[in-house]
Every structure is written in C-alpha cells, then in structure tokens.
Amino acid sequence: MGTPAAAAGTTSVAVPNSSFGDGWLDGKLKCWNTGPSGAAKLTLTSRSHSGPWAAHATGTTAAGSQVVLSTDRTEACPIPVTAGRQYTLGFWMSSSAGAQPVVSSYSTTAGWTEWFRGTKISATTDLRRYTAVLPVVPTGVTRLSVGLSFPGTGTVVLDDVDLTAPETVLTAPQTTAPAAPAALFQPVFPASGLVTNEFAYWNPTDPQRADSRDWEMTSGSLFALDGSGYSGKVDGGSPDVRSVTNTGSAIFRLNTRDHSFGDVQVAMKLNVSGLTATSRTPAVDWDGVHIFLHYQSQYELYYASVARRDGHVVIKKKCLGGPSNGGAYYALGSSEVSGLSLPLNSWQDVGASIRNNADGSVFIALQRNGKTVSTATDSGVGCAPIRAAGATGIRGDNAEFRFSGFTVSALG
C-alpha cells in the first residue's frame, strides 16, 4: 500500500525512509532517531501498515518524561519545504500510552527549533491513520524534521509517514530583517610579535610574561603576523617566557578571557599553511583547526572542527571526567561529514554558531565559505547539555595556521 499518492491539486514532499523499508545504515535506523540519547530502544517490527517493516520505539526512561521519535536533522535526510506553503503531516500509528506529532523547523538564522506540537492522540492497539495540519511555513525556513513525542514509559509503532501541501503558495508570515548585530568581540592584532602563550597562563606572577587582555592559552603560542593571528612554526616543546626556543603550538589551545558568550555566531578567515607531526604529537585524523563554543574550561566545552587532516568536519562535546586530559569527547549526532578538505595556503571563511533551545537542548551549526555544512543538536550526550555562557576560541592540532577577522556576534 505504502505512502498515499498526493491528491489532485496537492504536492507531496518525500519523507526519508518513510515506510522504513530502507532499514539500517551505520548501526542505526536510516534517517530516524530517538531523543534524548539513550531514552528509547528503536527497532523494526513486521506489524506494519504496508511493506515489510514499521518503526517500533520503546521508551526506557522514568514516568513523566517524554521521548521523541523523529527524522534526522542532516543533509543526508532532508525534508525540504517552501515558505508560504501549508503542509499536512500524515502517518499510521499505534501507541501504548498516547503520542502527539512534533515538527521542528530549520533556518540559517535560528537553526533547528521546535515549531509545531499537535494535539495528543489517545492510545490504541491497532494501526490507524492520523493527520495534522501544520502552520504556514515562515519566511526563511527551508527544512523540517517530523516525528512523534510519547511518554518515556510508552511504546509507539509508526509507518507510512507523508507530507503534502496544496499547490497554491500562501502568503508566508513576514518579518522585517533585523540589522546585523554589533560584534561582541573583535580583537585587533599588532603587525608582529608574541601576543600570549601557555607560559603566561601557567606563570601568572612572572613579570616578563606575555599577557593579553583578550586571550589566554593553556597550550601553545599565539603570535601576530601582518595584523593577523598566527600559530607560529609548530613544535612539540614547551615555550619559554617569549616562545623563543619553542612554540608548543603542536597543541594549540586559545580561548577568550571573556566567558559571557551565550547564543553567538563565531566567524573568521582561516589560512592553514600545513599539517605536521612531532614525537609528542603523532599525526592523527583530527589534526587541524577547530572553534570552541560554550567553553567552560579545558575539560568542558563544545568544538566545531572546520578543517581536519582527513577532510572531515564534525561537531563534538567534551564532558568533565575521562581519559582525554581530564575529559571525554563525544561526536554529536550525525554531524561528521566527509569530503570537505580545506585548501592549504588559501584564505577561507569558516565559522560556527550555538544556540540554547527551549526544550533544554543545544543547537550548533558549522559553516564553510558562507554555507552551513554540518549541524548537531545536543540533548545530553555524555553529560548534560552545556547551556551556560562561556568563552570561545580556537584549537589547533599539528597545524600551522593564520586567522583574521575573528568576530563573535549575538544571534538574533
């Protein structure tokens, strides 16, 4: 039977793996997930409406909590929509404790946010078809993620999910484009010389230290070169007071002194001149340059990998307590994207943004040359979402690089 054909005068949008016949990919149900992480067991069942399979999600959390079964928010599993259209979500479902349709929307300014939550549907033992009419898609929204919210002790079976809309485009809700926000942080570099280094951080009372009002470093050295920031020649040694004999920049850890950055966009121009290795730091896939977000300390932070040796980009989280310098790293969702090598000796625009969502999660987006190439939503992977304002900054691994125009701006 499958997903119903669009009626005359309507247009249909493909929902990825809508009847769950595509099965599993890389150890997960293709294009579908449950959240928060670890809150449900997601499998397939032959008790379907059409085809061989339906999705079967069983909550594994305490009474009073909610679980969401929804499509992935990734480039590989898009549900593209058009501003001004009013879509209808349809699906076949049974549930042990009731459920309600939920839809999240994506725009480049707001990232992923919950946009629609429908009326609760009562529990039923047999599969039945339901529909929910969504609001008119606002200007700026380009993608949706659709799914169901259900109690953490409940079970749902879902099949044949579809999205349709009248062919007529309605007038989308209009908003006046806000003026570009003023920069919260935009440091200026001198023509040349040492700006600061790890010696200054670990020896705060030494009168000869290279102190900076803008930056601090737990590892490595930051120089100025022709008015831009520069890692210096990479080595694995320990810097002296002026980083004359060693830079230590094989492990480059730079953060702002200001720890008040909450929902922000970080942008800069980046020029990587080369990747190397030292006896202290052998070559690894993740060598490159990364942007810190919501940096609480060197043990608790997010970072967006904008340039890596293996050509991947990814968004990760570090939680306090673990084997990696007092913490443990977790890749967020399906944020790792391959085939995005950064050209050497070429200035490129890179950036990342972070926003706290109303549901307690944190949304992060990674940009290259003005295009969002990776996104992730952290609902508590490894530890609770890091929602507190923090520092931002740059991490480098075995990378010699320069950066300019480093700017932190508030998200609208």
Side-chain angles (χ1 to χ4, degrees):
M1 296 172 66
T3 301
T10 65
T11 183
S12 179
V13 178
V15 176
N17 201 10
S18 61
S19 297
F20 306 98
D22 293 342
W24 300 84
L25 180 66
D26 297 330
K28 67 177 290 293
L29 186 59
K30 186 176 180 181
C31 291
W32 289 82
N33 69 85
T34 56
S37 178
K41 181 179 180 181
L42 180 56
T43 60
L44 293 174
T45 176
S46 59
R47 192 165 65 87
S48 62
H49 168 252
S50 70
W53 305 113
H56 183 279
T58 301
T60 57
T61 58
S65 61
Q66 289 286 309
V67 176
V68 175
L69 166 63
S70 64
T71 57
D72 291 349
R73 301 172 177 182
T74 64
E75 296 287 347
C77 302
I79 304 178
V81 291
T82 302
R85 290 194 185 278
Q86 186 169 28
Y87 294 84
T88 297
L89 175 65
F91 52 93
W92 288 79
M93 182 197 74
S94 68
S95 66
S96 66
Q100 59 188 138
V102 291
V103 179
S104 295
S105 64
Y106 175 80
S107 69
T108 55
T109 55
W112 283 104
T113 58
E114 185 176 305
W115 174 56
F116 171 82
R117 184 171 285 260
T119 303
K120 183 176 179 180
I121 301 167
S122 300
T124 177
T125 57
D126 59 321
L127 283 167
R128 299 181 184 180
R129 178 165 169 81
Y130 302 93
T131 60
V133 178
L134 309 183
V136 176
V137 175
T139 300
V141 170
T142 57
R143 284 187 287 160
L144 299 181
S145 169
V146 303
L148 297 172
S149 175
F150 62 96
T153 55
T155 296
V156 297
V157 175
L158 177 66
D159 200 12
D160 292 341
V161 183
D162 62 85
L163 194 67
T164 58
E167 292 181 349
T168 303
V169 177
L170 306 175
T171 301
Q174 299 292 319
T175 56
T176 302
L184 302 175
F185 178 73
Q186 197 170 36
V188 176
F189 287 95
S192 62
L194 180 68
V195 177
T196 191
N197 60 8
E198 67 178 78
F199 183 96
Y201 181 85
W202 298 110
N203 298 274
T205 61
D206 191 306
Q208 301 301 314
R209 72 190 186 281
D211 221 0
S212 169
R213 68 178 184 178
D214 295 321
W215 304 100
E216 60 184 9
M217 298 195 78
T218 59
S219 182
S221 302
L222 173 65
F223 299 89
L225 179 63
D226 297 330
S228 63
Y230 175 45
S231 64
K233 297 292 183 182
V234 172
D235 62 58
S238 296
D240 57 18
V241 64
R242 306 302 299 179
S243 296
V244 174
T245 56
N246 295 296
T247 67
S249 288
I251 303 176
F252 182 98
R253 303 291 186 267
L254 175 72
N255 63 270
T256 60
R257 286 191 174 275
D258 191 337
H259 280 241
S260 67
F261 300 125
D263 292 356
V264 294
Q265 170 72 49
V266 181
M268 65 177 175
K269 292 186 178 296
L270 176 66
N271 189 325
V272 180
S273 57
L275 296 172
T276 185
T278 72
S279 58
R280 178 187 175 197
T281 57
V284 291
D285 288 345
W286 59 83
D287 285 341
V289 180
H290 326 267
I291 296 174
F292 287 138
L293 298 163
H294 280 194
Y295 179 103
Q296 308 299 303
S297 70
Q298 59 181 307
Y299 314 110
E300 189 178 9
L301 53 90
Y302 293 108
Y303 73 78
S305 296
V306 295
R308 293 198 349 171
R309 187 188 293 273
D310 62 3
H312 293 201
V313 298
V314 68
I315 299 167
K316 289 191 175 185
K317 173 187 186 181
K318 187 176 184 180
C319 295
L320 180 65
S324 300
N325 186 34
Y329 289 100
Y330 300 90
L332 297 182
S334 302
S335 64
E336 186 161 354
V337 181
S338 61
L340 292 171
S341 296
L342 195 77
L344 297 180
N345 298 302
S346 173
W347 286 101
Q348 305 287 321
D349 292 316
V350 300
S353 62
I354 187 165
R355 178 190 295 275
N356 288 341
N357 290 329
D359 63 1
S361 64
V362 175
F363 173 79
I364 302 169
L366 185 157
Q367 298 91 28
R368 289 266 295 265
N369 293 319
K371 180 182 178 181
T372 298
V373 295
S374 178
T375 62
T377 298
D378 177 28
S379 298
V381 176
C383 58
I386 305 171
R387 293 173 58 86
T392 182
I394 303 172
R395 165 178 168 168
D397 297 285
N398 282 333
E400 183 180 348
F401 65 94
R402 294 169 60 187
F403 64 97
S404 68
F406 189 97
T407 303
V408 182
S409 304
L411 290 180

